[in-house]
Structures are given as structure tokens and as C-alpha cells.
Amino acid sequence: IRVVRNYLREETQNRRPHALTLLGESQLALGQSDASLRSLNAAIDQYPNHPITYRARLAASRVYLETQQLSKAKELLNDNLHNGVLSPRSNEWRKSLF
């Protein structure tokens, strides 16, 4: 988390959505639900058309499931399934389905 935060301070734009998603996933793994949602939602909101957003939605849906916010989790998963360019051949689409 410390390394990714340092990276985010230095990175201008190119890899920022990847770093925000990685940060959110790391925070989720450590049980930091609120911080994880802030990082993941930043990736989703700031870079809505970036391909990493699908992965960020998956991770954010896990946070919502863990915090019993099922409707929010379902909304993110449905976004991955129906509001993008993913196909059933992509990992993110299949993970969203299941």
C-alpha cells in the first residue's frame, strides 16, 4: 500500500487507474473496507472508460458483499455484464456473472 501510494504521488495519468485499483484490492485484502471503496470508486469514477474499471467494479462488489450492501454489489456486477464491451470470453465478465 505504501509503495502504491508513493507511485500515485509521482504518476501523472498513464497508469493511475491501475494503481488505484491495485491500492483498493490491497486495502480490501487487509480488511480496510472504507479505504478500499474510496480507492476503487476513484478508479471507477475518474476513469469510467478505462479497461481496468471492470476489475475495479469486481473488487468493489466484493467490498459491498462483505458489508451486506447487496444492491450496490449487484449494480456494479450488472454494469460489467451489460454496460460495456465485455464479452462472455473475458474473465471479468465471467466473474461478474458468477
Side-chain angles (χ1 to χ4, degrees):
I1 290 174
R2 184 175 42 240
V3 170
V4 175
R5 283 190 177 141
N6 287 338
Y7 180 80
L8 283 167
R9 278 193 284 277
E10 302 297 323
E11 176 60 32
T12 55
Q13 289 297 319
N14 292 340
R15 305 279 299 163
R16 194 165 181 75
H18 293 276
L20 286 168
T21 301
L22 178 60
L23 179 61
E25 291 171 334
S26 299
Q27 291 163 326
L28 173 59
L30 293 174
Q32 301 171 0
S33 299
D34 292 337
S36 176
L37 277 178
R38 280 192 301 275
S39 299
L40 294 166
N41 283 330
I44 294 166
D45 295 340
Q46 293 172 21
Y47 306 95
N49 298 319
H50 196 283
I52 197 72
T53 301
Y54 299 108
R55 187 169 129 191
R57 283 190 196 117
L58 277 171
S61 73
R62 286 193 299 272
V63 177
Y64 287 129
L65 285 173
E66 289 180 5
T67 58
Q68 302 300 311
Q69 299 178 60
L70 303 180
S71 63
K72 289 182 180 181
K74 184 178 178 180
E75 181 182 330
L76 290 173
L77 295 173
N78 278 328
D79 281 348
N80 272 1
L81 291 172
H82 304 293
N83 298 331
V85 296
L86 291 182
S87 74
R89 295 175 62 188
S90 74
N91 286 331
E92 286 81 6
W93 191 92
R94 288 191 304 263
K95 287 179 181 179
S96 295
L97 183 63
F98 296 109

